[in-house]
Structure formats: C-alpha cells, structure tokens
Amino acid sequence: MPLNYYVIYKPYEVLTRFTPEGNKSCLADYFKVPQDVYPVGRLDYDSEGLLLLTNDKSLNSRLLLPQHAHEREYWVQVDGAITNAAIKQLKEGVQISVDGKIHRTKPCFAEIFAAEPFLPPRNPPIRFRKSIPAPWIRMILQEGKNRQVRKMTAAVGFPTLRLVRYRIEHITVEGMQPGDMVQLSREEIHRKLQLTSF
C-alpha cells in the first residue's frame, strides 16, 4: 500500500473527519483522497488552516507525542485591543481547564501583528463592530491541548474571533486557499517536519 501525504487548508466550519455529522460539512465534501487516509491530529470545526492527511501511522504517532514538541504557529484575531501585558501573560503561560482539570500552559511565543496578516477572507466573515478593535496576534506553541489557543486568549481577557493554524514546523498554508490540497513525498514531509530518522 503506497504511503500518501497531503497538506490541506481546512475551511471554517468543516469537521476534521471524513464522515458527516448531522448537517455539518466534513473533509469528504472538499478533499478526494484514498480511503485509508485520515487527518493527523485535529483542528476545531470553527478553526481554519493547516491540517495534514496521511495513511502513514508512524507519522501520526511521532507528530502527536508530546516529547517531540513540534512548533505549531497560529494566527489569531481577538476581540478588543489586546495589551502588551496580556501578551506577556500568554508568553509566560496561563491556567486553562483541560478535561475538567486545571492545566498551566507551557511558555510560548506571542506577539501582536503590526498590520493585518494576508489571509483568504473567511466565509462567513466575523461580525464587524466599528467601535471594538479586532487585532491579530501570532502564537507559536509546542503543545496542543483541546481548544488551547481559544482558552488561552479568553484567559487573558481577549476572546478569539478567528483562528488559523498557519504552520507546523516548516509546512505552511502560505498561498493556499480554503479547500486547497497539496501532495508531498515522504522525503519532503520528513524534511519539513524535521523528522530526522525514517
């Protein structure tokens, strides 16, 4: 059975699975891949951006094990004029609830974008309110708890309005549109994810 590797830009409000649930869209509505291919990790229904699809089970386990600590970069639009103090809190780690338990997030990189980043428009767009700023921040994490980024920005007082996973290690969605898919070779995926041993 050949090993297949795909980089996709998951659109907003699409389930990270190939089987539908109720009236929600799923990956099968956008991406045609062999039957044994599945997503590596997850990306929330209301989040967009980079997702890897493969039938290589070893890649799945290596990417998801916490000790491998792969960088994941998120571009996050928040509700309100986020402060440098809030950014400092995000960098140092905040307390969030994970599976009913308190979890302190690991130190991470966070900064405010000087200008709005270039991204495809979201469909539907976020609700625009003239009186309330909605700036963008960049966050780079090395852990991936359930809805972690949203919980982190909420913990410092600036709820997430739009969330795009832009990068995992050296794989990005730069130049891609929601619904786009790129196939990579095993060598390329290992190199870009910095997986040294095959």
Side-chain angles (χ1 to χ4, degrees):
M1 186 72 75
L3 293 177
N4 294 294
Y5 305 90
Y6 305 94
V7 175
I8 67 168
Y9 189 126
K10 185 189 89 68
Y12 175 65
E13 291 192 338
V14 172
L15 294 166
T16 301
R17 50 194 248 191
F18 283 95
T19 48
E21 178 188 294
N23 59 358
K24 292 179 175 177
S25 295
C26 68
L27 295 177
D29 296 321
Y30 292 86
F31 306 102
K32 302 298 171 231
V33 293
Q35 244 181 332
D36 60 345
V37 166
Y38 55 90
V40 177
R42 57 195 305 282
L43 194 55
D44 295 325
Y45 177 71
D46 50 358
S47 299
E48 315 154 55
L50 179 59
L51 191 63
L52 303 177
L53 308 177
T54 187
N55 55 355
D56 182 349
K57 290 185 170 57
S58 70
L59 180 71
N60 193 44
S61 59
R62 291 172 74 179
L63 262 184
L64 299 182
L65 285 173
Q67 62 263 37
H68 291 137
H70 284 90
E71 279 194 357
R72 302 165 177 91
E73 180 173 337
Y74 298 88
W75 292 4
V76 193
Q77 191 173 20
V78 295
D79 195 8
I82 192 163
T83 61
N84 288 327
I87 292 289
K88 184 169 182 284
Q89 280 181 279
L90 292 173
K91 285 180 174 178
E92 292 171 354
V94 294
Q95 289 195 335
I96 61 173
S97 174
V98 178
D99 299 326
K101 299 189 183 78
I102 294 297
H103 170 75
R104 184 165 185 84
T105 61
K106 293 178 180 173
C108 71
F109 175 86
E111 70 175 6
I112 302 171
F113 275 99
E116 185 171 331
F118 184 73
L119 281 170
R122 196 185 82 178
N123 183 26
I126 67 154
R127 189 163 60 92
F128 177 70
R129 292 171 299 171
K130 204 159 49 174
S131 59
I132 300 176
W136 285 85
I137 63 172
R138 174 191 281 117
M139 293 176 64
I140 302 174
L141 309 185
Q142 292 190 330
E143 58 180 341
K145 304 296 184 191
N146 185 29
R147 296 183 77 77
Q148 179 169 341
V149 171
R150 292 177 187 278
K151 290 175 181 177
M152 287 176 73
T153 69
V156 299
F158 297 90
T160 291
L161 297 172
R162 186 180 177 192
L163 178 57
V164 178
R165 181 157 62 199
Y166 175 75
R167 175 176 69 85
I168 301 175
E169 287 296 339
H170 295 295
I171 298 175
T172 77
V173 289
E174 185 172 359
M176 294 177 74
Q177 295 290 321
D180 281 357
M181 177 168 73
V182 176
Q183 186 163 11
L184 296 182
S185 68
R186 186 167 187 263
E187 292 69 29
E188 286 175 306
I189 206 107
H190 277 77
R191 188 179 74 250
K192 290 186 171 197
L193 291 174
Q194 304 202 93
L195 299 172
T196 45
S197 56
F198 280 42

